[in-house]
Structures are given as structure tokens and as C-alpha cells.
Amino acid sequence: MATLVENPLVREIQTRALKPAGPCAMVIFGITGDLSKRLLLPALYNLATHGLLSEHFALVGFALSDITEEKLRETLAGTIREACGSECNLETIRWLVSHLHYVSSDFETASGWQKLHAVLDQVEAAEDLAGNYLFYLATAPEFFLPLVRRLAAEKLLDESGGHWRRVIIEKPFGHDLASARALNAELLKVVQDDLLYRIDHYLGKETVQNILVFRFANGIFEPIWNRRYIDHIQITVAESVGVERRGRYYDHTGALRDMVPNHLAQLLALTAMEPPASFSATALQNEQVKVLEAVPPIRPEECVACVVRGQYTEGMVSETMVAGYREEPFVDPNSQTETYVALKMAVDNWRWAGVPFFMRTGKRLHKRNTQVVVQFRNAPLSLFRRTGALPPRPNSLVLGIQPDENICLEFEGKVPGPVLETTTVRMDFDYGRHFRVEHRTGYETLLYDAMLGDRSLFKRADMIEAGWSVIQPILDAWAAGRGGELDRYGAGSEGPQAAEDMIHTGGRAWRPF
Ligand SMILES: NC(=O)c1ccc[n+]([C@@H]2O[C@H](COP(=O)([O-])OP(=O)(O)OC[C@H]3O[C@@H](n4cnc5c(N)ncnc54)[C@H](OP(=O)(O)O)[C@@H]3O)[C@@H](O)[C@H]2O)c1
């Protein structure tokens, strides 16, 4: 999706590879919501700007707000302008919103569905969409199953006419392993699995996809990507924001459920997976599931040593004093919900036996940062120990995901001068600077792939369940009162001291972010 202005070869390859998606109507349930306004509409605009939407395209919104189609067009044009900045193309925005239609209704009201059928018939006649419909469930999770059941009952998932029908389902997919399994089972009673596109927007990020390219398009890293050369791996997903308007939802969810079975498990799977036999969706997904299935369950007695739960108190973030979690709107003033979690995990297979995987995620940390750090083992012999130089530090490879999109290899070099001194130096690749990547939301690739019917970057039922399996033993231990204490950390810090202690026990340290 990047616009490549500097490298003519890459630009040529990209232009050859990309073609507009086929004709379709995209129906967004929840079009007036935050996700649609902030991310989906700007992503559709970016696709249109690059000529990747079909000329035969219609956008149909379905939501509760009692507003006119005209008003919604105006509002969404404004949110796209805001998201895409001063250089946005007003003509493309006008084109996009002129293809927008709106059904204002409760999801459960029959007249709303009659209107949806009428609108789909109308756009079909006007735009020649070949009967292809992409449904996007941008709604609260309690609507996922009722909406899919309703779509099936309305015969909107019937592909017998030779057209395609697809449903994108947002996260959270379940709130534990049992509910995720139940949701998968119930969905599969009314729809074939290959129509379901379970989304994890992390997979839409270029730098997340680049982990695969980095690992499997380069010969030099694969031989050392294993327990013989790697000491440990750290995965950090740090947020500087608090719970914002999501206090009610978050207080029943917490950091472990909200981030680990999806985003962190995804980063873990891509970092640790075996090379797939091909680049097909099935081959890629098979290898990712195998990694998550190789994570041994954390035993209740390990929950104190291997899991840290934290909650933020008030503090300074970006020079602004912010409230503690318990003071946030819609949060229980005595809440025990964790806003931070750090875990020590293992992947029990031949490649990774004995290599710890440390993962941490939290809100109101001092800055936003997502990174994977591969920390290599020390050199076998410290040759420079008698020269007075400091002992060399182990090499690390840092895969920056956001906001810094980069890859950085750190190694030891000689400080210039007559005395033999060593220091750590860096070799940096900056993704954004190299490719001149413009603003994008991460949803562009995913929407485009869904329109093409490519499920490689979406989650299969077993991947979702494998993600939940990783954390279910911890949820069970916490529910049985076997979790550690809730450690409070100041907003604007790097997290609770207990997380530092956890990693220091093995003589290691978190990489500062
Ligand atoms: N927001 C994000 O950044 C984000 C990121 C990742 C995943 N997600 C997931 O995306 C989904 C949507 O999140 P969101 O933040 O956009 O939620 P939201 O702002 O609360 O939007 C919910 C949407 O559903 C509509 N709606 C609610 N009840 C309805 C009903 N009974 N009948 C018809 N329409 C109804 C609302 O319509 P009205 O506004 O007209 O009432 C609104 O359009 C959630 O599953 C969330 O977990 C969100």
C-alpha cells in the first residue's frame, strides 16, 4: 500500500502487482461508530486514492443514529479530511461519500432489514456490483452472532448465484477460551468458515507483515534464528493513552484479555513460526497455530513468578498530569482490573526450547511503542577482557512496529583512538524514510484483501482459540485467587517494578523504550 517515490524498481513492481478489487458493496454495521469514522472510512479513502476500489463500488452503512444520508455523508467527509490531513484529495472524498447509502435502524428491527434489502437492490441496479457483498461488523461484540445469524436468515450469505459474500468480524472474539469456542461453533452452524474474516488489525500493519519478509526473504538470519544463538525475546506493546471512553468495557476486560490473545500472540507467532511450505493462507496460518500450541500452560504456582499485573495511578504523561485508572470515567473506584501485564513464556519446540519469551503491554506508559527485541547470546569468549575495555554487550535486533517503523541491529564497535575501547553501535533501517510511506490506518491491506478473498492476514477459528489457550490458565489462576498482587505504577513510567524484577531474575533487563 505504500507509495514508493524514490525507488523506481520497487514502484514498478508495485504498480504491476496491484489492481483494483472487483465490484462489490461493502455494508458496515456500526458506520457511525469510532472505528468506522477514525479508521475504516480513511482506509477506504486511501484505497480509492490508489485506484484500488472498483469503479463498481457502493458503501452501505447501518446504525442506530437517526440522521439523514446527506448528514452522514457530510460527517464522514469531515472525518476523512481530519484523518488524512491537508494533502487529502477532495475529489476522491466526494467520490467515496457519493457512493454512501445509509440505513438508520436498530439491528433487531425488521423494517431496518427490509430497508437494507431495498438499498442493496438499488445500488446493485445503479452500480452493477455483480451481487458481491462484504459485510463489516464494526459493532460491539454482543452483536457479532445475532448479526451473522440474521444475515444468514435474510439469505444475504447465500453464494449460490455465483457471487461472493464475506463477513469481517472485529475483536474481541470471545472473552475467554470457552466463549471463543462457543462463538466459533455457533457461527459455523449458520455460515461456512471460508466466508468469515476474523480481523486483527495488527496484521494490517506493514511492519508486522515485514517480520515475515525479514525472516523468510533473507538467508542470513534464518540460521541464527534459534536457541543456539538467541538468548531471549522481548515483545513490548506500550500505550501512552489511558482507557479513554472505554472505561466500562475495559474494567471488565483488562490488559491480559484485551491485548495478549490477539496482538501479542500474533507478534509471538510471526517471530517464532517455522518457515511455511508456501505463502498460501493455509500454510501461513498452520505454522502460526503450531507456535501458540507449543506454549506450555503457565501453572497456577508459576503465576506469581511468571506473571505481573499492574494498574496505573496518576502521573505525568507527555508533560500533562493524568488521572489514575480508578479515577477514570465508568471505572470502579476499587477496581482490581490490570492495565498492565508482563509475562514470561516458553515455546516448547526444537527451535525454541529453553529460550524465554518476555511479553509486556500496558496503558499510560511513558510513550507509545511496539517492538520485538531479539537478544542474541554473548560472544563465546571475551577477547578484550584484558585490555580494560568494558565486557561486550550481547547483540540485539530490534524490530520497531510503531510508532518507529524500523529494524535496528546493535553490535559492538571500536571507539576511535589509541586505547582499545568498545561500545555498542547501531545499523538502522527506517521503513518510513526508505519507502516514503504516507499516512495509512493499517486497515487498507485488510479491506483490500477481503475484497479479493485473500484470508492470509485474517484469523482462522483455531488461531483465535490457540491465542486464548495461551492465557486461559492465567485467567483461571486469577479467578481462583492465585494471581500475584496488583502492582501500582505511576502513569508516565515504564511499568511496575515487579516487571523489572521478573526479568532481572534471569540476569536480563527490559530494553528501554
Ligand atoms: N474504536 C477502535 O479503535 C477499535 C479498534 C479495534 C477494534 N474495535 C472493535 O470495533 C467494534 C466497534 O467499536 P467502536 O469503537 O466503533 O464502537 P462504537 O463507537 O460504540 O460504535 C458502535 C456502533 O454500533 C451502532 N449500534 C450500537 N447499537 C446498535 C443497535 N442496537 N442497532 C444499530 N446500531 C447499533 C452504533 O450506532 P449509533 O452510534 O448510531 O448509536 C455505532 O455505529 C468493537 O467490537 C470494538 O471492540 C474498535
Side-chain angles (χ1 to χ4, degrees), residues 29-36 38-39 62-66 102 105-108 137-141 143-144 170-172 201 245-246 249 443:
F29 293 97
I31 197 159
T32 51
D34 180 64
L35 176 74
S36 301
R38 236 169 19 87
L39 298 166
F62 194 135
L64 213 46
S65 294
D66 182 15
Y102 182 52
S105 163
D106 190 289
F107 294 141
E108 288 175 11
L137 311 190
T139 69
F143 293 115
F144 295 165
E170 259 300 335
K171 68 158 255 219
H201 68 267
R245 296 181 302 116
R246 296 167 72 219
Y249 160 78
Y443 280 79

Side-chain angles (χ1 to χ4, degrees), residues 136 220 240 300 339 343 447 471:
Y136 198 118
I220 58 171
S240 55
T339 59
L343 310 165
L447 293 178
I471 68 154

Side-chain angles (χ1 to χ4, degrees), residues 307-327:
V307 185
V308 171
R309 318 168 54 222
Q311 188 188 70
Y312 62 83
T313 55
E314 67 172 11
M316 296 283 276
V317 180
S318 309
E319 298 179 8
T320 305
M321 194 67 185
V322 299
Y325 177 66
R326 291 178 185 174
E327 287 78 59

